[in-house]
Every structure is written in C-alpha cells, then in structure tokens.
Amino acid sequence: MNTKSEEDYLKCLYHLQEGKSAVSTNEIAKYLSMKASSVSDMLKKLADKNLVNYLRYKGSTLTKKGELIALNIIRKHRLWETFLVEKLGISWSKVHFIAEQLEHVNSEELIEKLDYFLGHPDIDPHGDPIPKKNGTIATLNQKLLSELNVEEKGIITGVKKGTPSLLNYLDKQNIKLGNSIHLISKIEFDHSLEVKINNKKITLSEKICNNLLIEVSYG
C-alpha cells in the first residue's frame, strides 16, 4: 500500500509528464511546494518500488505500474467530484479540495459501488475524462473557445484550468457544462469574444475564452 504522499507524487508526475520525455525535480518541487532535496528523496523511494524511472539530473517518468496507480487516484478523485456535485449539490468551485482528501480512501469495493451508483460517468463536473478501472482514459474532441472561428457552434464540455475564481464567475453568469454556444464575433481590441449561450448574448474576456472547452458541432 502506498502512502498519501507517495500517491500525491505519482499523480503530480502524471499531470506534469504529458508531452514531455521527462519531468525535472524542480518542476515537481514547484508543483507540490516542496524542497528539491525532499523531492529527490521521494523519487528515489518510488524508484525502489518500481513506480518511477528516476535518473539524477535527467528527470523522472512514471513506470507502467506507477502510471496505473496514478490513473486510479485520478479516477477516484473525479468520481468523488461527480458525487459531491450531482448528489450533494456542492458547488463545482469547491469540490476539488474535498476530493483531494477522498481520493486517498483505499477501498476498491467502495469506488466500484460509487461508479455504479453514479451510472458509470465518462466525465467529471469540470469536463475532465474519468479513467476506467483498467486505466484507459478517453480522448475528448474539444477545442478552446478562443480557437473557434466566427459562426462556429458547439457545446461547452469542460474547463481547461478550473480555478475557484473562474468557476465562481461561470456560476454567476449561469454558464454550465452542456450549454450550447455560438461564436458571433471576435473583438480585435482586447481579443474578447461575443457569443450566444443558450440564445443569450454575452461578451467573454480573452482569459475566459482560453479556459472554456468546446465540442464543436459539424454539419
């Protein structure tokens, strides 16, 4: 059984290594707000468990075993977020920090019952795919709102970086996953976009548009 700290390192590595050949110790230290020396000690420990490939000065990657554990932690986290939002009515801006604690509950039976209870959801309340038990994870057909062309339409399916301030703003504007969206025009001055969401016109800042994920409608 792995400790909470070990699981946090594995999940951190999974998120950081996307598109990279290896992740530096300093990157991990910054992500976890830890000292680089402490990170090096933990990476060596995880390497001894065959969970991480660790080469001093060259960076680290997850082994297949380590990746499967990381995906299982992410699976639990996103299932708990779904439960907290859909069944307990907790705001999607608050559930991340609660799920950070619940993701370390070590009961496979509980998680399988939770998955069944929720109807085997594919995405969490922020639009992130929920890994399956075997570690497979779906690739979603999404584009940032800022990448759309004028007159393109689609469905809001997620947020790229769901900070509490962003999610609170979206709540205040009544912008939710599943809303239809139509890009009307691009404003050259500040790169904001005029859109129609569920037939209501609104202007969104460049920062918001760089964080909203859209599944584009074709045909």
Side-chain angles (χ1 to χ4, degrees):
M1 185 184 300
N2 300 296
T3 66
K4 176 183 180 298
S5 180
E6 289 171 343
E7 290 182 345
D8 286 339
Y9 270 83
L10 295 175
K11 187 176 72 167
C12 164
L13 254 176
Y14 179 84
H15 288 310
L16 291 177
Q17 74 178 24
E18 184 178 3
K20 298 179 181 178
S21 58
V23 181
S24 73
T25 298
N26 286 336
E27 285 180 277
I28 299 170
K30 182 178 179 180
Y31 189 95
L32 295 174
S33 300
M34 301 284 289
K35 292 182 179 179
S37 58
S38 298
V39 172
S40 295
D41 290 341
M42 177 60 81
L43 291 173
K44 292 173 186 175
K45 184 178 179 181
L46 293 171
D48 289 340
K49 288 187 171 186
N50 192 33
L51 300 177
V52 166
N53 298 308
Y54 172 66
L55 287 175
R56 194 176 182 185
Y57 306 125
K58 292 188 177 180
S60 303
T61 58
L62 292 171
T63 63
K64 288 293 183 182
K65 182 180 177 182
E67 182 177 2
L68 188 58
I69 293 173
L71 284 166
N72 182 54
I73 300 163
I74 293 168
R75 167 178 166 79
K76 289 189 287 184
H77 182 104
R78 293 177 180 174
L79 283 171
W80 281 121
E81 284 194 337
T82 305
F83 173 77
L84 292 167
V85 170
E86 292 187 359
K87 304 303 179 182
L88 298 188
I90 298 175
S91 169
W92 66 342
S93 64
K94 298 178 180 179
V95 294
H96 176 76
F97 301 102
I98 303 173
E100 285 278 298
Q101 302 169 59
L102 293 171
E103 70 185 28
H104 299 290
V105 173
N106 188 34
S107 172
E108 185 175 334
E109 180 181 6
L110 173 62
I111 298 306
E112 292 314 303
K113 287 185 179 294
L114 178 64
D115 186 32
Y116 176 80
F117 177 69
L118 294 171
H120 307 293
D122 293 319
I123 60 172
D124 72 7
H126 304 107
D128 294 315
I130 299 174
K132 300 302 180 185
K133 183 180 178 181
N134 63 2
T136 58
I137 186 166
T139 301
L140 303 179
N141 181 27
Q142 299 173 316
K143 294 171 66 174
L144 291 173
L145 175 56
S146 56
E147 296 173 337
L148 266 61
N149 297 314
V150 173
E151 294 301 333
E152 277 195 300
K153 300 177 181 179
I155 300 294
I156 299 173
T157 53
V159 287
K160 182 180 179 181
K161 189 175 182 180
T163 61
S165 57
L166 169 63
L167 299 176
N168 284 328
Y169 172 83
L170 296 177
D171 276 340
K172 287 179 181 179
Q173 298 298 327
N174 199 30
I175 297 173
K176 304 179 184 302
L177 302 191
N179 285 166
S180 61
I181 188 166
H182 174 197
L183 177 51
I184 299 172
S185 66
K186 297 187 176 185
I187 301 171
E188 185 177 350
F189 171 69
D190 60 359
H191 304 289
S192 59
L193 300 182
E194 184 182 14
V195 299
K196 187 181 288 183
I197 298 177
N198 287 349
N199 295 316
K200 179 183 177 181
K201 285 187 178 181
I202 185 173
T203 299
L204 298 176
S205 71
E206 181 182 17
K207 192 170 183 179
I208 297 295
C209 297
N210 283 331
N211 273 287
L212 272 184
L213 292 165
I214 311 298
E215 183 177 353
V216 180
S217 303
Y218 295 98

